[in-house]
DNA sequence: GTAAAATTTTAGATTAATCTAAATTATGAA
DNA sequence: TTCATAATTTAGATTAATCTAAAATTTTAC
């Protein structure tokens, strides 16, 4: 695995996260996500293909190598987030932006020793699965809140985004991983839900929030 | 303190480390150290001055701000080296290159919490002093081996370089910080010395090695 | 005090990564 | 099918960071 620039690495991560079930995405989706101009993305797509990170010259499908690179970056990102929370006592809403930088530090030795020290964590502080060395993801075995059945009991396993504004909102509402909850009411007209948390506390979520839970 | 690029930060660190007692250095010295062309350095000097990091347009003297930036980078570098050795069980010859990358991670929160976790270390794994938040350096109170008097007892406090080839050489000879030593013989014609380590082991050092000890 | 040598700066190019504007190509609705 | 709209690519510029070659300046040596 060659040492790519942070820019190239961020493109690969973005493409990976935007790929649909057929493993592909579009120039405009990548441009939108990175807040770059489509022309810049188009230009980068050519370069990524030249580097062998994309399957096809114009299709925006990651090659085997590109896919592995993406998973290794996600692995590093989530290991660093885990480290920051567990070792340096960061809160879950504080770690993402720092991990965005730390994931680009190139050191096989460090990438090997960090998980040893952390005792091979399977999930990061947001409940996201940490790929192993070879890029295999542990099974999260979870469903999104929007698909939860009324009155069925669930456990809060992960959040769909680790952006700090959303996590701060959850903090304010007293929501944490590991809590038990069930949907007690579901409003069809606006997609909002009423939850019972730990059998003793009621919370209302808008559809927007529910989609990230 | 603005977020400068890693390139700018490395120039500032280099200038800081090359400055003489008058606080200045030269284009050619910086070019030599960074293995860059003098023309590139000349161009960067102009930019550094525009950023307010150099006192003078052509003199290569750090401004107050440039000086503080250099010390903060050295602080981060040495804190990360300490972390890698103490927490992740790295050896002293393994940490420098990784710290060269980690020192460029921008996060006031991380820079604040890392030393808290490490209990405010004063010296890094190579015995180098760690500047405090404001850039003040603790006093090392040490003399170089080349200035040691014969038969006077000393304690091994720091190494003058943390390049891995030199540290591997010291490892091979069984040298570690904290050991007691004295010079038993000094050869005038080639500058080599004979040392007695921990009162029980003799080691011969060439002048080249002695200068980094 | 000149002249050679060393040092520094300028001029012009290159590469990665971005932009805007324009041209091209693909999609899809009538 | 055809034409309007959307998506993508091309063309041309810009900025940071580098280079080589040449010009200018400073230092050193005689
Ligand atoms: Mn994250
Ligand atoms: Mn995460
Ligand atoms: Mn170091
Ligand atoms: Mn050190």
């Amino acid at each position: 695995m060659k040492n790519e620039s942070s820019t190239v690495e961020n493109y690969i991560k973005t493409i990976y996260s935007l790929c649909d079930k057929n493993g592909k995405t579009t120039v405009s989706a990548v441009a939108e996500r990175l807040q770059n101009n489509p022309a810049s993305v188009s230009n980068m797509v050519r370069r990524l293909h030249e580097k062998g990170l994309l399957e096809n010259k114009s299709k925006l499908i990651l090659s085997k190598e590109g896919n592995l690179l993406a998973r290794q970056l996600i692995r590093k990102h989530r290991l660093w987030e885990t480290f920051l929370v567990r070792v340096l006592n960061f809160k879950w809403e504080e770690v993402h932006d720092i991990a965005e930088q730390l994931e680009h530090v190139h050191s096989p030795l460090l990438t090997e020793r960090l998980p040893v020290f952390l005792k091979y964590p399977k999930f990061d502080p947001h409940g996201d699965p940490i790929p192993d060395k070879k890029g295999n993801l542990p099974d999260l075995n979870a469903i999104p809140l929007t698909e939860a059945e009324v009155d069925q009991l669930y456990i809060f396993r992960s959040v769909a985004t680790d952006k700090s504004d959303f996590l701060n909102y959850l903090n304010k509402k007293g929501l944490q991983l590991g809590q038990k909850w069930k949907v007690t009411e579901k409003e069809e007209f606006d997609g909002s839900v009423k939850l019972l948390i730990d059998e003793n506390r009621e919370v209302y979520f808008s559809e927007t929030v529910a989609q990230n839970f």
Side-chain angles (χ1 to χ4, degrees), chain A residues 6 35 58 73 83 110 119-120 138 141 144 167 184:
Chain A
S6 302
Q35 292 288 287
S58 53
L73 287 164
F83 163 80
L110 183 54
K119 310 262 177 61
Y120 308 100
N141 189 28
L167 297 173
T184 50

Side-chain angles (χ1 to χ4, degrees), chain A residues 2 14-15 24 29 32 46 62 70 73 81 98 101 104 106 110 114-115 123-124 131 144 148 174 176 186 189 209:
Chain A
K2 272 195 306 297
T14 300
I15 292 166
K24 63 185 169 194
E32 162 74 17
R46 184 183 40 72
L62 289 176
L73 287 164
E81 286 189 342
I98 305 175
Q101 297 178 65
H104 302 294
H106 295 289
L110 183 54
L114 193 56
F123 301 95
D124 82 0
Q176 288 171 32
K186 218 168 181 169
F189 80 98
V209 171

